[in-house]
């Protein structure tokens, strides 16, 4: 393509970000990130690397916003979207990988992103299509992004007529045979093979014993292409999972860009798109037969160099026309504005005139909490948000100037209202906290109209730009619903790393500080509540929000993860609930709530009434093997250890699981 003809579209800053999940580990994703950066530079764009929480990996490590980049590309399913920027997730992983890691947990991560990037793999595309089939606010991927590159593109050559193979061979970490080890073992002594990749990976010599091992290659997006070009023949092998999903990894595209002749396995993607321009092997056959086929292909190439070069040129031409990375990035930029408008029309309300009151809680003055509330209010795309800061009167008296200065600097029309969060003695010392239900009740009674929409936002919560807009849209599409509910992200830190766990279930009966119900994820209709709600609400504290949710006979989900909650915050950990008392108040007002096993839920998640469970019902022995395995995976993922260590541990687990099957 003519890169010189590309112009950065109006409204774009010409900068995008890519998430790098494992900064301390050299992995195949590093090569993809490097290639994105090379491609961006060739188009006059900039690609920056960020952590999963949206912070720059390079100093000054600030957290990026929508004003800093045009979009983010996430290359993996391990973490959900945890930044307030339009986000694409690349559908680059075989469906089997989700099953190996924990299918339901990691599949749900895909839906936290705003849009999808297809790599023309049938199974991965259908995986997403299944999950969004019942969601009117979602559509399948419109753009493609392959494990590809844009430059340098080497002139086709047969080079030294040697077979190039590259890999990390990370399966060796488990002291087991590598993915294609039997075939490589047979090819190794022939003198026709060159293996490249890291010599030492996680302290293990992963290529120990291979005569054809030729050394490491920098993950810089270009060096590997020179080595491919020198060798002249690229061996492209896929995992069984990749072949099942008809998904092609880096190896085919970098072999084509390197100008090599391609010997490829039976991955349907290659034959569908490249036809007879490649030579194929059937890796399902006995390894001796596969090796003989590879060597027979190599001999044919040596004996028919002109015909082989013609095939290599034709294959590279297909690559240039359909799969080069610069084309994907250009198409993405050219269609970005219209795509965003299309998606917004799906989830936003047709009528945005109805006002929404956001009651933002700040019991004690805290500059960080105030900044978070101001950012949440300012970023909202819904035009009729009315943010109201609720702060204790004494805190307001002492810090009013600082509060007003911060509001003025942010440029947000934020009303400040004094509300008593604490009972104090005559000297102003705090005796105890006022129940949140009293504060909620006072705020609700002060709403101007019965059909008003409102939400409460806790001090530890942050709202993304589409949060209110998507919740109002959900209520507009479901006029009988009394509350719209978003998914939430639990934020917590360990060893200097911030983690985000997706919460897309609704349990308004149970209580745990590490799995709070949340506040800002709910948008209510005032008309959903009878006047008698105050007879229960003002007596509740930790369960005040649960009562409001439970009192709504009909609920609707936006199915967007658009609010984060810090489960380690002082606000979240500061409750000292009297659950027995609060449950009895809830039982009085809603008699069926705690006495009958409920089927209420969001996204199909049932809520189990904890008082009704018998001890024997909790026995793992009563669960199926599949359910026990699912619980084990979920428990393993809940352990707060660095992602790099998790990657190694789960890599070994996946290898064991495949072999055990």
């Amino acid at each position: 393509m003519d890169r010189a003809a590309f112009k950065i579209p109006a409204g774009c800053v010409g900068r995008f970000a890519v998430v790098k999940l494992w900064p301390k580990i050299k992995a195949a994703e590093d090569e993809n990130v490097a290639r994105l950066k090379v491609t961006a530079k060739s188009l006059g764009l900039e690609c920056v690397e960020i952590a999963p929480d949206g912070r720059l990996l390079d100093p000054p490590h600030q957290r990026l916003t929508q004003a800093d980049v045009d979009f983010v590309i996430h290359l993996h399913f391990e973490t959900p979207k945890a930044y307030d920027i339009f986000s694409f997730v690349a559908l680059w992983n075989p469906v089997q990988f989700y099953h190996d890691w924990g299918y339901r947990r990691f599949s749900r991560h895909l839906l936290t992103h705003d849009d999808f990037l297809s790599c023309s793999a049938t199974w991965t595309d259908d995986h997403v299509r299944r999950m969004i089939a019942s969601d009117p606010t979602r559509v399948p991927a419109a753009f493609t992004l392959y494990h590809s590159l844009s430059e340098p593109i080497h002139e086709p050559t047969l080079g030294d007529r040697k077979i190039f193979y590259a890999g990390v061979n990370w399966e060796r970490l488990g002291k087991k045979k590598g993915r294609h080890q039997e075939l490589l073992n047979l090819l190794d002594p022939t003198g026709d093979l060159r293996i490249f990749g890291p010599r030492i990976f996680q302290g293990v010599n992963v290529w120990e014993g291979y005569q054809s091992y030729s050394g490491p290659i920098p993950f810089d997006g270009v060096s590997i292409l020179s080595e491919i070009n020198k060798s002249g023949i690229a061996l492209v092998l896929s995992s069984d999972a990749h072949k099942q999903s008809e998904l092609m990894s880096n190896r085919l595209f970098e072999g084509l860009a390197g100008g090599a002749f391609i010997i490829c396995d039976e991955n349907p993607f290659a034959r569908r798109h490249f036809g007879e321009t490649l030579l194929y092997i059937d890796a399902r056959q006995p390894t001796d037969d596969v090796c003989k086929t590879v060597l027979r292909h190599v001999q044919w190439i040596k004996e028919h160099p002109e015909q082989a070069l013609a095939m290599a040129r034709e294959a590279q031409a297909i690559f240039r026309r359909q799969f080069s990375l610069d084309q994907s990035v250009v198409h993405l930029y050219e269609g970005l504005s219209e795509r965003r408008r299309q998606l917004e029309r799906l989830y936003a309300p047709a009528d945005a005139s109805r006002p929404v009151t956001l009651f933002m809680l700040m019991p004690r003055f805290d500059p960080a909490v105030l900044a978070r509330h101001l950012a949440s209010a300012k970023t909202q795309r819904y035009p009729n948000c009315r943010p109201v800061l609720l702060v204790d009167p004494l805190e307001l008296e002492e810090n009013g100037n600082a509060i007003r200065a911060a509001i003025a600097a942010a440029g947000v029309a934020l009303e400040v209202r004094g509300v008593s969060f604490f009972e104090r003695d005559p000297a102003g010392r705090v005796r105890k906290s006022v129940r949140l239900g009293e504060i909620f009740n006072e705020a609700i009674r002060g709403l101007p109209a019965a059909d008003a929409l409102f939400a409460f936002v806790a001090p530890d919560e942050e709202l993304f730009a589409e949060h209110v807009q998507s919740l109002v849209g959900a209520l507009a599409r479901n006029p009988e619903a009394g509350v719209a509910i978003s998914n939430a992200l639990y934020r917590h830190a360990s060893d200097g790393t911030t983690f985000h766990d997706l919460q897309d279930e609704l349990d308004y009966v149970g209580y745990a500080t590490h799995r709070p119900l949340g506040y800002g994820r709910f948008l209510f209709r005032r008309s959903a509540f009878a006047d008698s709600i105050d007879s229960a609400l003002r007596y509740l504290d930790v369960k005040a929000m649960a009562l409001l949710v439970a009192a709504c006979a009909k609920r609707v989900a936006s199915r967007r993860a658009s609010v984060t909650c810090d489960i380690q915050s002082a606000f979240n950990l500061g409750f000292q609930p009297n659950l027995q008392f609060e449950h009895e108040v809830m039982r009085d007002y809603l008699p069926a709530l705690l006495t009958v096993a409920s089927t209420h839920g969001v996204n199909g998640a049932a809520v189990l009434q904890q008082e009704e469970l018998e001890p024997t019902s909790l026995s793992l022995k009563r669960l199926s093997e599949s359910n026990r395995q699912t619980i084990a995976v979920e428990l393993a993922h809940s352990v707060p250890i660095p992602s790099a260590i998790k990657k190694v541990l789960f890599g070994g687990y996946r290898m064991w699981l495949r072999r055990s099957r």
Side-chain angles (χ1 to χ4, degrees):
M1 65 169 292
D2 183 6
R3 297 188 188 123
F6 171 73
K7 303 297 181 185
I8 298 173
C12 292
V13 299
R15 189 185 194 211
F16 65 92
V18 59
V19 174
K20 185 177 172 68
L21 281 177
W22 309 293
K24 298 180 181 179
I25 294 180
K26 288 295 183 182
E29 284 78 7
D30 294 332
E31 189 75 11
N32 295 118
V33 172
R35 291 168 180 174
L36 281 166
K37 296 175 82 168
V38 168
T39 296
K41 186 176 181 180
S42 73
L43 294 168
L45 303 167
E46 182 184 7
C47 173
V48 296
E49 299 175 65
I50 62 173
D53 65 349
R55 297 183 186 277
L56 280 174
L57 289 185
D58 295 329
H61 306 297
Q62 81 264 25
R63 194 167 185 227
L64 298 185
T65 69
Q66 300 169 74
D68 299 313
V69 293
D70 299 311
F71 53 84
V72 173
I73 296 176
H74 205 306
L75 300 179
H76 203 273
F77 57 71
E78 182 177 344
T79 59
K81 171 190 172 181
Y83 38 80
D84 189 18
I85 307 170
F86 190 87
S87 182
F88 290 99
V89 60
L91 305 180
W92 279 10
N93 288 277
V95 176
Q96 183 60 48
F97 285 10
Y98 295 86
H99 289 277
D100 293 346
W101 283 53
Y103 180 82
R104 190 57 55 191
R105 171 191 173 96
F106 289 102
S107 294
R108 295 191 311 239
H109 284 177
L110 298 178
L111 301 186
T112 65
H113 297 274
D114 300 281
D115 205 359
F116 316 102
L117 295 173
S118 169
C119 59
S120 300
T122 304
W123 280 48
T124 57
D125 287 351
D126 284 347
H127 179 206
V128 166
R129 290 178 60 221
R130 285 195 300 274
M131 290 191 293
I132 66 174
S134 61
D135 188 347
T137 70
R138 298 277 190 168
V139 290
F143 302 111
T144 56
L145 187 77
Y146 302 97
H147 302 69
S148 186
L149 64 155
S150 59
E151 64 176 43
I153 306 296
H154 291 265
E155 184 68 22
T157 176
L158 300 182
D160 298 330
R161 293 165 171 77
K162 300 289 186 181
I163 303 170
F164 175 93
Y165 180 84
V168 173
N169 207 25
W170 62 266
E171 289 89 343
R172 275 287 187 91
L173 297 178
K175 309 300 182 184
K176 303 289 186 179
K177 291 181 179 180
R179 183 177 293 169
H180 308 294
Q181 188 170 341
E182 291 183 4
L183 176 59
L184 296 176
N185 285 344
L186 293 176
L187 292 173
D188 186 46
T190 65
D192 287 321
L193 179 66
R194 288 176 180 168
I195 295 176
F196 293 86
R199 182 185 301 274
I200 305 297
F201 186 70
Q202 296 294 297
V204 176
N205 187 342
V206 291
W207 293 112
E208 183 178 8
Y210 283 87
Q211 303 173 28
S212 52
Y213 176 69
S214 302
I217 301 177
F219 286 110
D220 57 9
V222 296
S223 296
I224 193 172
L225 303 178
S226 297
E227 295 296 342
I228 291 173
N229 191 257
K230 291 176 186 176
S231 296
I233 303 171
L235 181 60
V236 177
L237 302 177
S238 303
S239 69
D240 290 339
H242 279 80
K243 286 182 282 192
Q244 179 194 60
S245 290
E246 301 179 19
L247 188 154
M248 185 54 68
S249 65
N250 294 340
R251 300 305 171 219
L252 174 61
F253 302 118
E254 61 196 19
L256 293 166
F261 188 97
I262 306 297
I263 298 176
C264 187
D265 62 20
E266 71 280 5
N267 190 316
F269 181 99
R271 195 176 289 276
R272 182 167 67 246
H273 292 287
F274 291 90
E276 299 307 313
T277 66
L278 316 180
L279 288 181
Y280 298 94
I281 59 174
D282 187 349
R284 296 167 295 187
Q285 300 299 315
T287 308
D288 286 348
D289 294 339
V290 176
C291 180
K292 291 175 183 177
T293 303
V294 171
L295 295 176
R296 188 163 59 247
H297 287 334
V298 171
Q299 188 61 33
W300 181 89
I301 293 168
K302 292 177 179 179
E303 294 175 355
H304 303 85
E306 294 302 321
Q307 189 175 348
L309 272 175
M311 291 171 63
R313 291 191 185 98
E314 186 177 352
Q316 190 182 82
I318 296 172
F319 162 75
R320 287 178 180 269
R321 288 195 304 270
Q322 300 181 35
F323 301 105
S324 64
L325 190 56
D326 51 356
Q327 288 194 75
S328 292
V329 174
V330 167
H331 291 159
L332 214 166
Y333 260 95
E334 290 177 342
L336 180 63
S337 295
E338 177 53 38
R339 179 64 170 179
R340 293 188 63 169
R341 285 192 292 267
Q342 175 196 8
L343 296 175
E344 187 172 340
R345 286 193 295 267
L346 292 176
Y347 67 78
D351 179 8
S353 63
R354 194 168 183 181
V356 172
T357 302
L358 294 177
F359 294 111
M360 313 190 93
L361 310 181
M362 188 175 71
R364 296 186 182 276
F365 173 70
D366 185 329
V369 171
L370 180 57
R372 188 157 47 244
H373 282 329
L374 288 170
S376 292
K378 188 173 184 177
T379 193
Q380 295 308 308
R381 288 200 289 269
Y382 187 74
N384 266 304
C385 279
R386 175 183 168 233
V388 178
L389 182 69
L390 304 184
V391 60
D392 188 77
L394 185 58
E395 297 284 331
L396 179 57
E397 179 182 343
E398 295 177 349
N399 301 284
N401 290 337
I403 293 173
R404 286 185 286 272
I407 293 173
V412 178
L414 180 67
E415 177 188 339
V416 181
R417 186 183 301 176
V419 174
S420 295
F421 280 89
F422 308 102
E423 292 183 9
R424 300 178 183 271
D425 63 18
R429 292 186 293 266
V430 174
R431 286 175 172 166
K432 64 177 182 177
S433 296
V434 173
R435 290 184 292 269
L436 276 182
E438 293 186 54
I439 295 167
F440 288 176
N441 188 64
E442 180 180 342
I444 294 171
R445 288 172 63 87
L447 288 170
D451 62 347
L453 303 179
F454 68 92
F456 292 97
V457 184
D460 60 339
E461 292 181 329
E462 176 186 7
L463 310 182
F464 290 171
E466 76 277 12
H467 181 68
V468 172
Q469 190 180 41
S470 61
L471 291 176
V472 175
L475 287 176
R477 291 186 297 274
N478 298 269
E480 296 180 358
V483 59
I485 305 168
S486 79
N487 296 331
L489 296 167
Y490 291 152
R491 184 174 68 254
H492 54 98
S494 177
D495 296 328
T497 301
T498 300
F499 300 91
H500 289 84
D501 298 323
L502 177 63
Q503 169 63 308
D504 59 356
E505 297 178 351
L506 179 65
D507 178 4
Y508 48 77
V509 176
Y511 173 75
T513 56
H514 68 288
R515 294 186 66 83
L517 181 62
Y519 295 81
R521 62 188 293 211
F522 305 104
L523 180 66
F524 297 98
R525 296 186 199 269
R526 173 63 183 89
S527 58
F529 304 107
D531 290 341
S532 59
I533 188 79
D534 63 353
S535 66
L537 182 58
R538 58 191 178 194
Y539 297 97
L540 302 179
D541 191 20
V542 70
K543 304 297 293 185
M545 184 58 66
L547 177 69
L548 291 177
V549 176
C552 294
K554 182 173 176 57
R555 296 175 284 277
V556 61
S558 75
R559 298 182 68 177
R560 306 183 75 86
S562 52
V563 57
T564 69
C565 168
D566 183 358
I567 62 175
Q568 296 170 320
S569 70
F571 175 81
N572 184 59
L573 299 176
F575 289 100
Q576 296 179 342
N578 183 346
L579 288 179
Q580 181 64 34
F581 171 80
E582 296 200 31
H583 277 162
E584 293 298 346
V585 171
M586 294 175 71
R587 188 196 299 267
D588 288 343
Y589 189 70
L590 298 172
L593 180 64
L594 298 176
T595 56
V596 180
S598 171
T599 57
H600 296 316
V602 174
N603 298 345
V607 178
L608 296 178
Q609 306 309 327
Q610 295 173 336
E611 293 187 0
E612 300 300 312
L613 292 177
E614 299 177 2
T616 55
S617 69
L618 298 177
S619 173
L620 291 178
K621 294 180 180 179
R622 300 183 63 175
L623 300 177
S624 68
E625 181 179 352
S626 175
N627 286 337
R628 291 198 300 270
Q629 188 179 78
T630 299
I631 291 173
V633 170
E634 292 293 324
L635 288 173
H637 279 291
S638 70
V639 179
I641 60 177
S643 296
I645 296 177
K646 281 187 180 180
K647 179 178 173 64
V648 173
L649 293 175
F650 277 93
Y653 166 74
R654 291 197 307 274
M655 178 188 62
W656 170 83
L657 186 62
R658 286 195 296 269
R659 291 186 177 278
S660 67
R661 287 173 175 169

